[in-house]
Amino acid sequence: MAANGALKVNAHLQVEGFPNVFAVGDCADVSEPKLAYHAGLHAAVAVSNISNSVTGKELTSYHTGNVTMMLAMGHDDGVGQFNGLKLPRCVVALAKSRDLLLWKSWREMEQNQP
Ligand SMILES: Cc1cc2nc3c(=O)[nH]c(=O)nc-3n(C[C@H](O)[C@H](O)[C@H](O)COP(=O)(O)OP(=O)(O)OC[C@H]3O[C@@H](n4cnc5c(N)ncnc54)[C@H](O)[C@@H]3O)c2cc1C
């Protein structure tokens, strides 16, 4: 474990010393903001690496992309940044505040929003 209690991982998100164990999300010692968004990206890499390790293919590496942050502040307001650039409040409100990205969860679950 790292000093903060997170699990040390390599670029393939394998836990140090345990090649068959992958760590994703907040528990993984990756130097980036701890976000659900990042946890999803980790999961995609871990899933493909589990499959690749079973089939003997080369493992994929995880790289932090542009750091994006959107904070909803009620239905019609919000603040955010993309790769260090401040986003206009109306853009955050339109993109996130109105429905808190629920459409994304429905899509990922392959369900139609009622
Ligand atoms: C106030 C707040 C706002 C946030 N806003 C955003 C945002 O807008 N966008 C974004 O992308 N991210 C946001 N985050 C970060 C996001 O919530 C986390 O990065 C994400 O939840 C991490 O997911 P995880 O599955 O790795 O861990 P968690 O969601 O923490 O899940 C870990 C689970 O393990 C359980 N657990 C712990 N110990 C044990 C045990 N011994 N046995 C069994 N179960 C155990 C916990 O109860 C928990 O349910 C926010 C976080 C906070 C606190």
Side-chain angles (χ1 to χ4, degrees), residues 1-101:
M1 282 185 183
N4 63 1
L7 294 164
K8 286 186 181 171
V9 290
N10 63 17
H12 312 304
L13 300 179
Q14 289 165 304
V15 175
E16 215 173 86
F18 299 88
N20 292 332
V21 180
F22 293 81
V24 302
D26 285 5
C27 72
D29 184 34
V30 180
S31 176
E32 63 183 6
K34 301 291 183 198
L35 291 171
Y37 172 67
H38 286 149
L41 301 179
H42 296 172
V45 169
V47 165
S48 99
N49 282 341
I50 290 167
S51 168
N52 288 353
S53 47
V54 170
T55 54
K57 290 189 192 149
E58 199 178 325
L59 300 189
T60 310
S61 294
Y62 173 77
H63 304 283
T64 304
N66 293 327
V67 174
T68 308
M69 193 82 73
M70 288 196 288
L71 179 70
M73 295 165 69
H75 189 254
D76 295 323
D77 198 8
V79 289
Q81 61 166 266
F82 173 75
N83 207 18
L85 295 172
K86 198 174 152 194
L87 295 170
R89 299 177 89 107
C90 60
V91 169
V92 179
L94 264 178
K96 184 169 183 185
S97 308
R98 299 206 170 167
D99 71 349
L100 300 175
L101 303 174

